[in-house]
Amino acid sequence: MATFFGAGRLRPGPGTWGSLATVLLWWLLASHLPAAARIPVILILIVVVVAVGIPAATLEERASGRKDPNYIVIDEVAGQLVALIACPMKWQALLAGFILFRGFDVTKPPPVRRLERLPEGTGIMVDDLGAGAYALIVLQLLLHFGVLH
């Protein structure tokens, strides 16, 4: 689970592969859902991924003996899903959500970087949720002001 079914083992950039897999899987699922069901479903998915991801990341971090190994990508799954809340199912918006999340995940603007200091799987997961929140806000602003259609 921590590697999101092996996406975290792909090179280069395992976090990018985890995010890309998330966007593609969300697009496949959401395109088969009624529009009114998309927000409730993505919120449920986020809760499930976080609930599974924290213990999975904790166990994997302990087993590896390393702090936040880069092959743990379940955190990218959770953060990417946050970025895609209320995202239209258009390729431009999905691509923007992907790019924004990856940008915020890599740069970790304040206070996101501080969240990494939380212990084990909690720290691994929560900083990506913060990056996802930044991406969500920017994406929704771009949509609201018509920069993306």
Side-chain angles (χ1 to χ4, degrees), residues 54-71:
I54 290 174
T58 296
L59 291 172
E60 193 58 43
E61 183 178 72
R62 288 177 185 171
S64 74
R66 297 182 1 222
K67 175 88 171 125
D68 195 1
N70 66 354
Y71 60 86

Side-chain angles (χ1 to χ4, degrees), residues 98-109:
F98 170 75
I99 292 169
L100 286 166
F101 172 69
R102 292 307 302 144
F104 285 118
D105 187 32
V106 170
T107 60
K108 300 199 186 304

Side-chain angles (χ1 to χ4, degrees), residues 106-125:
V106 170
T107 60
K108 300 199 186 304
V112 172
R113 184 160 308 278
R114 296 185 76 189
L115 297 172
E116 288 181 310
R117 298 180 192 159
L118 293 169
E120 299 180 316
T122 303
I124 291 171
M125 294 292 292

Side-chain angles (χ1 to χ4, degrees), residues 33-78:
L33 293 172
R38 291 181 186 151
I39 291 176
V41 168
I42 202 167
L43 293 174
I44 291 167
L45 285 173
I46 292 165
V47 169
V48 169
V49 169
V50 171
V52 170
I54 290 174
T58 296
L59 291 172
E60 193 58 43
E61 183 178 72
R62 288 177 185 171
S64 74
R66 297 182 1 222
K67 175 88 171 125
D68 195 1
N70 66 354
Y71 60 86
I72 296 176
V73 297
I74 194 70
D75 51 332
E76 274 81 7
V77 174

